[in-house]
Amino acid sequence: MNTSLTPNAAIEAAVSSEVELDYAASCELPTPWATFRLHAFVEPATGKEHVAITLGDVTDGEPVLARIHSECLTGDGLFSLRCDCGPQLEAALQKIAEEGRGALFYLRQEGRGIGLVNKIRAYQLQDAGADTVEANEALGFKPDQRNYKLCQPMLRHLKISTLRLMTNNPRKIKAMEQLGVKVVERVPLVITRNPFNERYLTTKAAKLGHLF
């Protein structure tokens, strides 16, 4: 079953569902690069918890250096080499720290929105020869099921309306613009290739339109 979306349909799907988030709490988050501010949000409909990480004054109306990062336990927490997620997360926090101001939105959308167990099932199919898009489709999912509308209440709470977005994904920029968020600059976030992520990155470019 081919569940691929056209670029426009993919963008519409990424912002189509209404999302409500409740702000929960904030605290300091000391890291090797800076002491950030960690803001917790809860999605009442699902119970999922999402966070924003900020540094400096992001409420002054100036464009904010930002990263929208979807959860990747294998890459972010288990140091997997088969994707670029962990290195992108670290590089984004470093760039924000170097600038002294910025925001990172960490969305609990594991495996491009299919969940951890299904991502591991997709990995099993990839081990047998499928690429990332083919594996998702074989499991009955779209290549990318993430909903960036999760960012809208977080941005509103933090009083952010204009971004300098760290991304290689043009669909993410268009999704933000459809939500009324102005993106004044795309800041590339390119990670070194290795034998384990080479096909993953090639598929991102060829089938999902990522820019490297």
Side-chain angles (χ1 to χ4, degrees):
M1 177 175 64
N2 187 341
T3 54
S4 298
L5 295 176
T6 65
N8 287 339
I11 294 161
E12 290 170 6
V15 297
S16 61
S17 303
E18 289 292 335
V19 176
E20 179 185 351
L21 289 184
D22 293 334
Y23 167 74
S26 298
C27 68
E28 289 189 350
L29 179 69
T31 75
W33 313 288
T35 297
F36 295 89
R37 193 79 183 161
L38 183 65
H39 311 267
F41 299 82
V42 180
E43 193 177 349
T46 64
K48 282 188 176 181
E49 300 156 334
H50 309 274
V51 297
I53 303 168
T54 61
L55 182 66
D57 183 6
V58 296
T59 68
D60 59 6
E62 293 298 315
V64 175
L65 180 65
R67 165 79 179 159
I68 299 168
H69 191 92
S70 296
E71 178 181 37
C72 177
L73 174 65
T74 50
D76 298 341
L78 300 178
F79 315 107
S80 172
L81 295 176
R82 66 191 299 163
C83 67
D84 57 350
C85 303
Q88 282 192 322
L89 176 61
E90 184 172 330
L93 290 173
Q94 285 180 313
K95 286 178 180 290
I96 291 170
E98 289 166 4
E99 188 149 315
R101 178 176 176 273
L104 186 142
F105 301 91
Y106 196 89
L107 309 180
R108 306 295 298 279
Q109 302 192 107
E110 182 75 53
R112 295 181 186 154
I114 68 175
L116 179 59
V117 171
N118 282 321
K119 182 171 88 167
I120 294 171
R121 291 185 177 122
Y123 276 173
Q124 185 176 31
L125 293 173
Q126 291 166 40
D127 290 344
D131 65 31
T132 54
V133 169
E134 291 165 348
N136 273 27
E137 291 178 341
L139 293 172
F141 298 109
K142 298 178 180 67
D144 191 339
Q145 300 207 158
R146 289 173 290 181
N147 181 7
Y148 295 118
K149 201 155 191 175
L150 284 164
C151 295
Q152 198 167 41
M154 302 168 84
L155 288 161
R156 188 183 306 120
H157 177 84
L158 295 169
K159 298 180 173 61
I160 297 173
S161 60
T162 308
L163 302 177
R164 296 168 51 226
L165 191 60
M166 291 183 280
T167 186
N168 305 319
N169 185 355
R171 294 180 184 179
K172 195 178 290 185
I173 295 173
K174 291 179 180 177
M176 287 297 99
E177 291 173 342
Q178 284 200 2
L179 292 175
V181 179
K182 187 175 182 180
V183 179
V184 297
E185 181 185 1
R186 182 184 78 86
V187 180
L189 203 58
V190 180
I191 302 303
T192 303
R193 292 175 180 245
N194 66 62
F196 301 100
N197 70 17
E198 178 67 36
R199 191 181 186 201
Y200 166 85
L201 294 174
T202 298
T203 302
K204 266 188 170 183
K207 293 189 174 183
L208 299 175
H210 288 225
L211 305 172
F212 296 106

